[in-house]
Amino acid sequence: MDKVKKLSFSGNHRDFSIDLNKRVNNYFKKNKINTHANSEMVIKTIFMFTLYVIPYILILNGTFSNIFFNIGLIVIMSIGLAGIGLSVMHDANHGAYSKSKWLNTVIGYSLNLVGANSFNWKIQHNVLHHSYTNVYEEDEDISPRGVLRLTPYAEWKAMHRYQFIYAWFLYGLMTIVWLFFKDFERMIKYQKNGLVKKQNANIIEEWAILILTKVIYISYIFVLPVIITPFVWWQVILGIVLLHFIAGFILAIIFQSAHVLEETQFPTPNDSNVLENCWAAHQLLTTANFAQKSPWFSWYVGGLNYQVEHHLFPNICHVHYRKISGIVEATAADYGLPYNNLTTFRKALQSHVRILKQLGKKPANYEVS
């Protein structure tokens, strides 16, 4: 996507959107509930950072000499890293953690603390993904991927026949790619296509933050362990790769299981660059929930298994999604719209595998260019 298209949504099902917003707003008003974080969210935030920081301190202090104990600490760190991404920075960068813009910004920078860049993420995720979910060449989560074909409108390659096998390895590389390549590539891309300007951002300041936080991250995750611990540089690198591979894998399978499924659609705009439905109906068609009856799973993944609710109300903290899900489902039913909901995470993953296979098949009208 070299230039940002001016896509728009039609008024189709707009009455659903108006009614849904009214019902959800009434829920919060009637029950006198704040839409932002509560004590549960604060406890979760502390817990996720503890999972990440304490094992790191133990490794630096050389608490355990056994290599397998240290690998175990890295695994715990990776769970904490993914948890920060799913449950903490995600809400903050959506402005859903607090009514304070300053606090959201500070907590949102936890993404920079673990190696990525919150400014790039907000453009890629909030602006592009949430606006044009599953729309080819607009939603960067599905296009273009090259080695992965995640939409029927992407170019087919022979290797895609096997993507249902190798995709899982690539998912584990997600945060490693962010750390060393994608953040730099995105900053250049968003500057060229005008998205940085649209955010009223100072590009020099954003470049400075990106480079400075990358240096800080490399310093504490690589340089410091090499200096302080008995591990040699290549052992530290292997530890970093393991840390990011596990975290990246967790993050990828959660997000992929919400949008790239048999149950979801991949809408395309008409010749006038207008999408068929209103924005809210579009979210229902392109998004799915899963494993709603698993409290511990919902707790860890930041309520992102309630992805439908998240996409419709990204400015509401995820701790409230379970309560408003019934409202969303009932309203969708009232207006004859789908409410995609897979009962378990396993079923969501199986659906993802099946669509990877389908998208990996050679299209009937495919021609060699």
Side-chain angles (χ1 to χ4, degrees), residues 134 256-267 281-290 308 337-356 358-359:
N134 279 15
Q256 295 289 31
S257 297
H259 297 291
V260 185
L261 301 172
E262 290 179 308
E263 292 75 10
T264 56
Q265 298 181 19
F266 299 87
H282 178 92
Q283 300 309 315
L284 288 178
L285 296 170
T286 58
T287 310
N289 288 352
F290 49 89
V308 172
L337 289 167
Y339 182 81
N340 297 316
N341 181 23
L342 292 92
T343 55
T344 66
F345 185 42
R346 178 175 61 84
K347 288 184 178 179
L349 289 175
Q350 289 173 338
S351 179
H352 180 59
V353 171
R354 287 193 295 268
I355 198 168
L356 284 178
Q358 292 172 21
L359 294 172

Side-chain angles (χ1 to χ4, degrees), residues 137-156:
E137 291 189 323
E138 300 301 318
D139 181 358
E140 289 188 356
D141 282 9
I142 63 165
S143 59
R145 290 300 184 101
V147 293
L148 289 175
R149 188 171 187 257
L150 301 178
T151 168
Y153 304 105
E155 179 187 1
W156 180 83

Side-chain angles (χ1 to χ4, degrees), residues 17-90:
S17 178
I18 294 171
D19 193 15
L20 177 63
N21 278 280
K22 185 183 297 183
R23 293 187 192 187
V24 171
N25 288 334
N26 285 341
Y27 163 78
F28 285 100
K29 185 177 180 179
K30 179 181 178 181
N31 293 282
K32 297 179 180 179
I33 300 173
N34 190 299
T35 60
H36 295 106
N38 54 19
S39 57
E40 176 192 339
M41 185 64 188
V42 174
I43 292 171
K44 182 186 293 192
T45 301
I46 295 171
F47 180 80
M48 294 304 176
F49 275 102
T50 299
L51 279 183
Y52 183 73
V53 174
I54 297 302
Y56 172 75
I57 293 174
L58 293 176
I59 292 172
L60 278 189
N61 288 341
T63 306
F64 302 107
S65 57
N66 188 295
I67 187 67
F68 295 105
F69 282 2
N70 283 284
I71 290 174
L73 291 174
I74 292 172
V75 171
I76 295 172
M77 270 187 78
S78 68
I79 294 172
L81 171 55
I84 291 171
L86 293 167
S87 299
V88 182
M89 82 82 192
H90 190 264

Side-chain angles (χ1 to χ4, degrees), residues 31 47 59 111-112 122 144 161 163 173 178 184 194 197 223 234 250 252 300 325 347-348 364:
N31 293 282
F47 180 80
I59 292 172
L111 184 59
N112 295 59
K122 282 189 280 190
R161 291 191 181 98
Q163 67 175 1
L173 300 179
W178 282 357
F184 299 95
K197 186 177 180 180
V223 178
W234 61 267
I250 293 171
Y300 176 69
S325 63
K347 288 184 178 179

Side-chain angles (χ1 to χ4, degrees), residues 54-290:
I54 297 302
Y56 172 75
I57 293 174
L58 293 176
I59 292 172
L60 278 189
N61 288 341
T63 306
F64 302 107
S65 57
N66 188 295
I67 187 67
F68 295 105
F69 282 2
N70 283 284
I71 290 174
L73 291 174
I74 292 172
V75 171
I76 295 172
M77 270 187 78
S78 68
I79 294 172
L81 171 55
I84 291 171
L86 293 167
S87 299
V88 182
M89 82 82 192
H90 190 264
D91 276 36
N93 281 323
H94 271 296
Y97 195 101
S98 170
K99 63 181 180 181
S100 168
K101 184 178 179 180
W102 176 85
L103 184 57
N104 283 323
T105 299
V106 171
I107 297 176
Y109 274 124
S110 61
L111 184 59
N112 295 59
L113 181 68
V114 295
N117 181 267
S118 62
F119 177 74
N120 280 335
W121 187 89
K122 282 189 280 190
I123 293 180
Q124 178 268 322
H125 187 78
N126 295 0
V127 177
L128 300 176
H129 172 64
H130 271 264
S131 296
Y132 308 113
T133 312
N134 279 15
V135 178
Y136 180 58
E137 291 189 323
E138 300 301 318
D139 181 358
E140 289 188 356
D141 282 9
I142 63 165
S143 59
R145 290 300 184 101
V147 293
L148 289 175
R149 188 171 187 257
L150 301 178
T151 168
Y153 304 105
E155 179 187 1
W156 180 83
K157 298 178 181 178
M159 71 175 72
H160 293 145
R161 291 191 181 98
Y162 310 102
Q163 67 175 1
F164 72 97
I165 298 173
Y166 65 72
W168 309 97
F169 171 74
L170 297 179
Y171 290 164
L173 300 179
M174 183 178 74
T175 58
I176 297 175
V177 173
W178 282 357
L179 174 60
F180 293 107
F181 305 105
K182 203 150 196 174
D183 274 330
F184 299 95
E185 177 188 67
R186 279 178 175 167
M187 189 71 83
I188 294 170
K189 179 180 181 179
Y190 296 155
Q191 183 179 359
K192 286 182 177 180
N193 65 19
L195 283 171
V196 171
K197 186 177 180 180
K198 283 190 174 184
Q199 306 310 304
N200 295 317
N202 184 319
I203 188 61
I204 297 176
E205 181 180 318
E206 295 303 334
W207 268 113
I209 292 172
L210 185 148
I211 294 171
L212 177 62
T213 54
K214 293 286 185 184
V215 170
I216 292 173
Y217 180 73
I218 295 298
S219 296
Y220 86 75
I221 204 70
F222 174 71
V223 178
L224 208 55
V226 169
I227 295 174
I228 294 179
T229 72
F231 300 113
V232 295
W233 65 269
W234 61 267
Q235 291 175 317
V236 175
I237 289 177
L238 287 178
I240 294 170
V241 170
L242 177 62
L243 168 70
H244 277 278
F245 189 88
I246 296 173
F249 184 81
I250 293 171
L251 290 167
I253 62 174
I254 295 299
F255 285 106
Q256 295 289 31
S257 297
H259 297 291
V260 185
L261 301 172
E262 290 179 308
E263 292 75 10
T264 56
Q265 298 181 19
F266 299 87
T268 56
N270 61 23
D271 293 338
S272 299
N273 282 335
V274 178
L275 290 156
E276 182 179 359
N277 295 291
C278 74
W279 176 83
H282 178 92
Q283 300 309 315
L284 288 178
L285 296 170
T286 58
T287 310
N289 288 352
F290 49 89

